[in-house]
Amino acid sequence: MSEFKYIIFFVVLFIGVPFNYILARKYVHYEKFLWFLLIFFTANMVDINFISMETYRGSSKGFEIGMVDIVVFSMLAVVIGRKDEHPLKIPPGTTLFFLYFFFSLVSIINSDVLVYSFFEIWKMTRMYIFFFVVYNMIRKFEEFDDLMLIISFITLYITIIVLKQKYMLGIFQAYGPFPHQNSLVMYMIVFGALLLAYLLNNNKIKLFYWLMIFGAAGIDIIATLSRGGMALFAFSTSIIFLFSYTNKMSFRKLGITLIFIILASGVLYKASDTILERVKTAPTESVDVRVALAKAAQNMANDKFFGIGLNNFGLKINPPYPYANHIERKDEYEKGGLVETIYLMIAAETGWHNLGVFVVLLLYFYVKNIRNYFRMKGSIYRYIPLALIAALSSVYVQSTLEWVLKQTNNFYQLMFIFAIIGVVSRLLDKKDEEDEKKEMS
């Protein structure tokens, strides 16, 4: 049966990609359908692992490849096929990403299990291809209207799964189609930011529909019962409300705010018993565990200049390695966990210098996005950088508490955000060039 799934996958790869390319080039609606699949499969992963090691407690457990990659390869063929009309462009931030990739690759000299590291290298390679394709696929601002509609459909899909888990399966902390509730939180904070910014700053959309979709995103986050997630969602929405009011005050925005407060109060009241139960039953030792793992990560980063090896944290947190000797274990068979912050994980596995590169990469897109926001004054698409200011702020803060940004779903979404920031910058530059030519003529 396991061999059969590989046969199916390669049939889909070698037949599906050419098929998708031909139809996308011929029919614009099929290209939009591919966009839907691209985003959908970042939320609902359908994949297989080559040389799978599911028992390993690392950020990657195999050479995974899935339906999202099939769609990416299809869209890559599309952008290559129309390169004469729309020349291929290297996305901004590429140099920083490859520098981060390079130092991650160098860290393998200290890996004791090389295949663990190559699992992560393969993932990073897929992420860049995805980034490159999304950046080159979007050619005009109007395409973001279609993307927002796609995001609304996927939000509804995720919410249906969450409600089923919560009220039919009795799952205390819902996680939707994701591997963990923290992954769902990060993913939906990004979608929620885009939905709210779109709702508040576009007067031509159907108010009830988009208010319902944003409410669904909020329900998903509350259903996870993640205390940090709910706090960051509130932080994200506060940023959007603040900037939206600063940009332009209107009765419509006041009305949406009032409806939002009423509905949010109702949802929180309905969920108050489970939220209180979550607060009361939260393990008190969790903070101590986080601190102990952070100390182990620092020991690793300080011991090896190039780190202890990409994706080798799950191996070297355990004996006979000395990095976690300060952590008490129930018995000799107990395995250590992963450090609960992506920043220290990167430092531990690939060195302090590579953590610096990673932080610069994050800040590069953050600053670029803020610059886009100020450049887009008066544009109906200004909601895009506004939403991403809030989304990235929350994602970066959440990453200090959790390593979920290395989860495949969330990693894809981060690269999607970076690609959108790059696209907005490119379209603004193009508009400036066209305005200059008009002035000169």
Side-chain angles (χ1 to χ4, degrees):
M1 188 66 183
S2 60
E3 292 178 357
F4 185 62
K5 71 179 182 181
Y6 294 128
I7 293 172
I8 292 175
F9 173 79
F10 282 111
V11 168
V12 172
L13 176 65
F14 292 115
I15 295 178
V17 170
F19 177 80
N20 288 337
Y21 167 75
I22 292 168
L23 288 186
R25 290 282 286 165
K26 192 171 183 180
Y27 304 108
V28 66
H29 290 296
Y30 194 81
E31 182 180 316
K32 292 179 181 179
F33 176 65
L34 288 182
W35 268 115
F36 169 79
L37 293 180
L38 181 80
I39 303 174
F40 175 78
F41 286 125
T42 65
N44 189 59
M45 300 294 295
V46 178
D47 54 27
I48 60 174
N49 271 332
F50 296 90
I51 317 180
S52 178
M53 297 183 179
E54 291 299 322
T55 58
Y56 177 59
R57 297 183 71 175
S59 55
S60 292
K61 301 180 180 183
F63 291 111
E64 63 180 359
I65 187 167
M67 289 305 298
V68 63
D69 302 297
I70 300 295
V71 180
V72 167
F73 295 148
S74 302
M75 295 172 83
L76 178 61
V78 171
V79 297
I80 292 174
R82 66 186 185 201
K83 68 180 186 304
D84 292 336
E85 183 184 357
H86 302 281
L88 296 175
K89 296 181 181 295
I90 300 298
T94 290
T95 301
L96 284 169
F97 184 88
F98 277 116
L99 192 59
Y100 172 60
F101 180 89
F102 171 75
F103 284 125
S104 297
L105 192 61
V106 169
S107 76
I108 294 177
I109 62 173
N110 293 324
S111 297
D112 283 2
V113 180
L114 291 175
V115 71
Y116 292 166
S117 297
F118 284 111
F119 290 162
E120 194 71 20
I121 288 296
W122 169 240
K123 181 195 289 184
M124 293 171 70
T125 302
R126 293 160 59 212
M127 294 302 150
Y128 183 79
I129 297 172
F130 176 89
F131 174 54
F132 178 86
V133 167
V134 173
Y135 178 76
N136 280 281
M137 279 294 294
I138 302 175
R139 292 156 293 170
K140 52 187 178 180
F141 277 115
E142 288 75 15
E143 292 180 38
F144 286 107
D145 297 327
D146 294 325
L147 287 178
M148 287 305 303
L149 196 59
I150 289 168
I151 286 173
S152 74
F153 295 154
I154 295 170
T155 299
L156 279 177
Y157 168 78
I158 293 171
T159 305
I160 290 169
I161 294 178
V162 166
L163 292 176
K164 178 183 177 183
Q165 290 175 347
K166 196 75 177 174
Y167 297 106
M168 295 180 66
L169 302 179
I171 296 174
F172 185 59
Q173 290 185 271
Y175 50 86
F178 298 86
H180 193 273
Q181 61 265 19
N182 292 336
S183 303
L184 172 61
V185 164
M186 184 176 285
Y187 198 94
M188 291 314 301
I189 282 177
V190 174
F191 272 16
L194 283 164
L195 291 166
L196 181 59
Y198 188 58
L199 174 64
L200 286 172
N201 296 280
N202 193 323
N203 297 324
K204 297 180 180 180
I205 60 176
K206 295 179 180 179
L207 180 61
F208 176 78
Y209 176 77
W210 291 99
L211 191 61
M212 178 188 69
I213 299 298
F214 173 67
I219 288 171
D220 294 339
I221 292 170
I222 293 171
T224 66
L225 297 178
S226 167
R227 295 163 295 171
M230 286 185 278
L232 287 169
F233 183 60
F235 172 62
S236 174
T237 55
S238 298
I239 291 174
I240 294 169
F241 274 118
L242 176 64
F243 275 75
S244 296
Y245 284 131
T246 303
N247 183 36
K248 183 181 179 183
M249 181 67 75
S250 69
F251 287 111
R252 184 176 180 277
K253 289 179 182 178
L254 288 172
I256 292 172
T257 305
L258 182 61
I259 295 172
F260 169 76
I261 293 172
I262 293 171
L263 294 178
S265 299
V267 172
L268 288 173
Y269 176 76
K270 176 70 172 64
S272 60
D273 54 343
T274 50
I275 292 172
L276 288 172
E277 184 179 351
R278 165 64 177 149
V279 172
K280 290 176 181 177
T281 58
T284 54
E285 66 273 13
S286 61
V287 175
D288 295 332
V289 172
R290 286 174 181 267
V291 172
L293 288 170
K295 180 69 168 64
Q298 291 178 59
N299 292 340
M300 295 177 189
N302 292 335
D303 183 47
K304 303 285 187 181
F305 180 79
F306 289 113
I308 51 92
L310 185 66
N311 199 26
N312 269 228
F313 192 101
L315 172 71
K316 297 189 178 181
I317 191 67
N318 302 302
Y321 303 98
Y323 305 115
N325 285 345
H326 59 284
I327 299 177
E328 293 185 11
R329 301 174 191 267
K330 295 176 183 177
D331 53 59
E332 60 181 310
Y333 302 106
E334 183 182 0
K335 298 294 184 182
L338 298 179
V339 63
E340 296 287 346
T341 163
I342 190 175
Y343 303 116
L344 282 179
M345 182 181 285
I346 289 171
E349 292 186 342
T350 63
W352 290 112
H353 58 290
N354 205 29
L355 171 60
V357 174
F358 182 72
V359 170
V360 171
L361 175 67
L362 298 184
L363 293 178
Y364 170 80
F365 283 102
Y366 193 78
V367 172
K368 196 173 191 66
N369 183 61
I370 291 175
R371 185 167 177 263
N372 288 344
Y373 176 78
F374 287 107
R375 293 176 71 189
M376 294 183 74
K377 187 174 182 180
S379 170
I380 61 171
Y381 294 100
R382 201 183 193 193
Y383 73 87
I384 300 169
L386 167 56
L388 298 185
I389 288 171
L392 286 180
S393 297
S394 296
V395 167
Y396 292 174
V397 172
Q398 187 178 353
S399 296
T400 66
L401 305 171
E402 297 155 358
W403 61 270
V404 292
L405 199 53
K406 274 185 175 276
Q407 292 276 11
T408 306
N409 311 72
N410 303 105
F411 203 163
Y412 269 127
Q413 193 184 52
L414 180 70
M415 300 310 291
F416 183 75
I417 292 171
F418 287 171
I420 288 176
I421 293 171
V423 167
V424 171
S425 295
R426 189 188 75 223
L427 294 176
L428 289 174
D429 290 341
K430 182 180 178 182
K431 182 178 179 299
D432 289 344
E433 289 176 8
E434 290 173 351
D435 290 343
E436 263 186 48
K437 288 179 181 178
K438 286 179 182 177
E439 288 179 6
M440 290 177 65
S441 60

